[in-house]
Amino acid sequence: MSSYPRTRRYRDIEKTNSDSTFSSSSSSELDIPLPHSSWNYNKKKKNNWFKKIKSKSINLLALFTLLFIFLKISNIKFEFPFPKPKPEHEHKELQKFIKEGIKQCEIINKSIPNFKPSNSKRQLNDRFVKGTKNYWIKNGTFWTGNKDGNEILNEIDILLENGLIRKIGKSKDIKEFIKDKNVEEVQLDGAWVTPGIVDTHSHSGVDAAPSLAGNEDTNSIKGSVQPWLRSLDGFNTHDLAFNGSISGGVTTMLVLPGSADSIGGQAFPFKPRWTHENTPQSMLVEPAWKIENGTWARTNAWRHIKHACGENPKRVYGQTRMDNAYDFRRAYTEGSTLKEKQDRWCSSPTTQTEPFPSSLEWEVLSDVIRGNVKVNVHCYETTDLNALVRISNEFQFPIAAFHHAHETYLVPDLLKQAYGEPPAVAIFSTNARYKREAYRGSEFAAKVLSDEGLKVIMKSDHPVLDSRYLVTEASWIHHYGVNISESLNSITTSPAKAMGLDHRIGYLREGYDADLVIWDSFPLNLGATPKQTYIDGIPQIIKPIIHKKPSAAQDLPKKQINWEKEIQEALNTRGEPNLKPSKSVKNVIYQNVGEFHLSLTEFNIQQNDIEAFENGNGIVIVKNGEITCAGTCLIENEEALKGGLEFEVVNLHGGVITPSFITVGSYVGLLEIRQEKATSDGAAIDPLNEESEVTNGLLAHAVDGAQFGGKDELLAYKSGVTTAVIAPKGSSWISGISYSFSPEAEHLLSKGAIQNKANALWIKLDNSKISVSSKIAILRKLLAGTHQEDENELVEAFKKISKGELRLVVKTDKADHIASLIRLKEEIAKDAKITILGGQESWLVADELAANDIGVIVAPVRSYPGEWDTRRIVPSIPLSNHTLPSYLTSHGVIVGLGIQEEWQARNTLYEAAWTYANSPSGIFSKRDALDLVGKNLEILLGLDSSPKIAGEGGWVAHQGDPFEFGSKVVSVKGYGEEKDIDLF
């Protein structure tokens, strides 16, 4: 047994602050009783007590007892009743290696980090910046995170001082507390305030923006097991994403190494605000090691490590899952062996002849087994989850959180078998199916896990999802059934606890770090955006731009939709629910319609009374697949019910009917799982680089590789997407001919499956393979028609493009490349119809685009400076007045909205709703916003070349308002030739 017992006092890292005007005691130290400085006996009582003593032996015993109690209270070390011999190392000078080893023993025998929650006795944030103003934030509505996330305080003030939340209360309480202190007042007028958002899975700074070869430090692929690596050593303080993350309310992030390795290295918690020192170490919060008084000192803070199982290490190292599990067991055996050696050494340090056992490679794993490290595991599938649960029990270490974890909702009882406390589950809301182990991911996973009592965390995996919009992930899980408190907990209190930092962040409490967000609307409402973010008491957004949101946006979300049927089916089918309509009919009566956004002319609706929808009691009648009446329709409603036709009655409860939507930008319809080659059409040929006479100048047609019945297609249709436009997939800069199809179709030959088999030629304009200037030269030759000697499909296509008979879609983001394309059109192809896809920097040439009738499909909709060619973005509020779509629209450019990955197709409508909510007032009406994913895309993708027959358009019926989270699609009519209306 070690002669160096674990210390009973926790060393708080805030004690290192040199400012002596503040108390340095941590909350845990304040709970330890201090020795009395004096003893004040009442002599009269004392004499009376002695008079009662009859025996001298009893008197002596009493004196010894008092002495013993005094020594104990005074915390004076004294061996009682007889002194023990002095330790050997006190008799003679110890060798240097023993002295150093004893220090290491003190470190490894520290108590497991277990800080008590901070309180009003805490005087100073260790990250406090001298000169920071004190802020009196007045009249806010506070979601505090307390009472399991159920506490909401109305008309409350908060005082920020010394980098802390110093006081929460009514104005009179704060005023009395402040007295003569100098403060700056901030009036909120009832605005919502929450703790700062905590992102427990980020690669910010190591997978930096813009992404360049010189700053890519996410993964090391020198070995599958590398616990000695540290994300801190690759953290880039010049990352352009920091400001964006802060403007989304992110105040703390755990930056992990990537998931290429079984053990990828150690992670570190950062706050994204820039510091005066401007170094990675100055952005850390509670580092486990720090430079202190000229030494590299261990604090008593948590350490963090990243593990990964499943497909990533399997793909990178050619492993099987058996290899992966062996990696963990071998590594932890090394860590366990090291721990045992160290414990034996520390049991008798003065008798040792060798230095304290150490290992740069395995020491962190020995610390995992000691319980000092938060283990974060990238793990998706049941088989991998089970392996890690077994390993955690074999080596007796707890798992802080399983990340990604798409199948955890199918095996909640398994998670409860992990060693120690059940791990939290850090997941995406709707991002799934991008690889096989994510194929059974469900939007209902968070609801199931929450109901099972497991802590759910929403994370960004930044830059996979831009952490700026992490609040949207919380909004999505609320939409799919998680209550308000747990939804907000998922981005504040729960990740703070999983990181071991919930004693100072994640809540609005006195004594906690002054990390908080002031919102322009209730944070779970669609489009909610910070008005200001405070980190360590410092406001981070300089001159924030604020749009006044409707008063309804300040309210708590309306009554949640009942998803119990869908949830149960997802569980019963083990993640493979039937996504097809429950019923298809031709005659429908929609009752209690609140809004009607269809064009009366386009749908040839003769009988109408649009004003009837204003009170939420409108009626829409559909006969044989066509709308015959919209509005009051009282007589028509009665006749319909008596006319012998069988009608399906659908009550929308004040809901909305909109046009159906178009998705573009991904490969939905050409592949099912991105990382499984067997599920895709494969790569298209390069028409300019094929040597065969047969393939020379040949264009791939995406329609020839069409695939139907995929999950993303069916989920998109279930969400109101009735048209998908897809170009061939490949690495060539000339992709081929795109097509449009109906995602609900059974197969290629189904009636109405293919809407337009050749609507546009797609190319990519970037510097891959050959230069942009070379590509422009080739385009100039093809558009000018100087290639007449070669009669092939490519040449013929460009002849049509020059005449405006075939649309050219150019995938590019950089303003300089777009400018070259504009000049090319002006010089030699004035009649060409050109569309930009991507267009992140297109705002710089907005006027020129409008003058040359070149439209833009913005993708992604929420701009992110992730690449060199996208670093000059319109960031949207609170950093800019406009969104990119609104800026382009205000300059006369035709704008559509696109996506980048297949899973995003189902969320098409909500990108339009987000654009509507965060663009300047007057740019878009609701119908204009719907056109961004409908009518405008028809023009920009060449779908308007063959006009639709009146009355044969598609529509979507929503229960609830689709411009808010909380609506549900209950009925869809597609563009196909069939007259059926599908019910869900």
Side-chain angles (χ1 to χ4, degrees), residues 182 218 226 281 606 688 810 905 933:
N182 185 24
T218 315
Q226 301 186 84
Q281 67 181 16
Q606 302 297 324
L688 294 176
V810 184
V933 290

Side-chain angles (χ1 to χ4, degrees), residues 20-275:
S20 61
T21 61
F22 298 99
S23 167
S24 61
S25 297
S26 70
S27 58
S28 57
E29 290 171 327
L30 289 166
D31 292 331
I32 299 174
L34 299 175
H36 296 293
S37 59
S38 64
W39 292 92
N40 208 359
Y41 294 103
N42 184 303
K43 292 182 179 179
K44 185 177 180 180
K45 290 183 178 180
K46 182 178 178 182
N47 291 334
N48 290 337
W49 182 75
F50 274 110
K51 288 179 183 179
K52 296 178 182 179
I53 301 300
K54 303 297 182 181
S55 168
K56 187 175 181 180
S57 60
I58 296 175
N59 186 21
L60 289 172
L61 179 61
L63 285 173
F64 274 117
T65 302
L66 282 173
L67 179 61
F68 179 73
I69 293 172
F70 174 75
L71 292 172
K72 284 293 184 181
I73 292 175
S74 301
N75 202 26
I76 297 174
K77 293 184 178 180
F78 186 80
E79 301 296 338
F80 184 84
F82 302 106
K84 292 181 179 179
K86 289 185 177 181
E88 183 182 346
H89 67 267
E90 293 187 20
H91 288 292
K92 62 180 181 180
E93 183 67 22
L94 296 177
Q95 295 186 59
K96 183 178 179 181
F97 79 85
I98 293 180
K99 289 181 179 180
E100 292 176 348
I102 289 172
K103 291 179 181 178
Q104 294 303 313
C105 291
E106 291 172 353
I107 291 173
I108 67 171
N109 282 300
K110 281 180 176 288
S111 300
I112 294 173
N114 186 25
F115 298 106
K116 292 184 179 180
S118 299
N119 55 39
S120 59
K121 295 178 182 178
R122 185 181 178 209
Q123 299 293 306
L124 180 69
N125 182 345
D126 57 308
R127 292 176 47 83
F128 173 67
V129 177
K130 290 182 180 181
T132 299
K133 293 181 181 179
N134 300 325
Y135 291 93
W136 181 2
I137 298 173
K138 308 177 76 171
N139 189 24
T141 305
F142 292 84
W143 182 89
T144 67
N146 298 319
K147 298 180 180 178
D148 295 326
N150 291 303
E151 182 180 74
I152 295 176
L153 304 177
N154 297 295
E155 298 179 354
I156 291 294
D157 295 3
I158 190 168
L159 175 66
L160 308 184
E161 182 183 61
N162 303 332
L164 300 173
I165 297 173
R166 290 287 285 132
K167 187 72 175 174
I168 299 174
K170 294 289 186 179
S171 287
K172 62 178 182 178
D173 302 325
I174 303 291
K175 187 174 183 179
E176 185 176 318
F177 184 84
I178 290 173
K179 294 182 180 177
D180 298 328
K181 293 178 181 177
N182 185 24
V183 299
E184 181 172 317
E185 297 184 13
V186 180
Q187 178 58 248
L188 297 189
D189 297 320
W192 284 94
V193 182
T194 68
I197 290 176
V198 181
D199 188 357
T200 197
H201 187 134
S202 175
H203 303 295
S204 189
V206 291
D207 194 352
S211 179
L212 296 167
N215 66 10
E216 172 49 61
D217 288 292
T218 315
N219 284 295
S220 168
I221 55 173
K222 291 186 176 180
S224 181
V225 174
Q226 301 186 84
W228 49 87
L229 301 181
R230 307 182 304 178
S231 65
L232 174 65
D233 297 326
F235 189 80
N236 180 2
T237 58
H238 305 295
D239 193 333
L240 292 184
F242 291 152
N243 280 347
S245 297
I246 290 169
S247 71
V250 175
T251 58
T252 306
M253 53 199 187
L254 182 63
V255 175
L256 303 157
S259 52
D261 307 334
S262 299
I263 302 180
Q266 298 166 52
F268 291 79
F270 293 85
K271 291 193 180 185
R273 73 169 175 85
W274 291 349
T275 65

Side-chain angles (χ1 to χ4, degrees), residues 538-556:
I538 306 170
Q540 296 295 300
I541 305 171
I542 301 171
K543 296 182 180 179
I545 296 170
I546 300 165
H547 291 168
K548 185 174 177 56
K549 298 286 179 73
S551 57
Q554 307 302 323
D555 299 334
L556 295 175

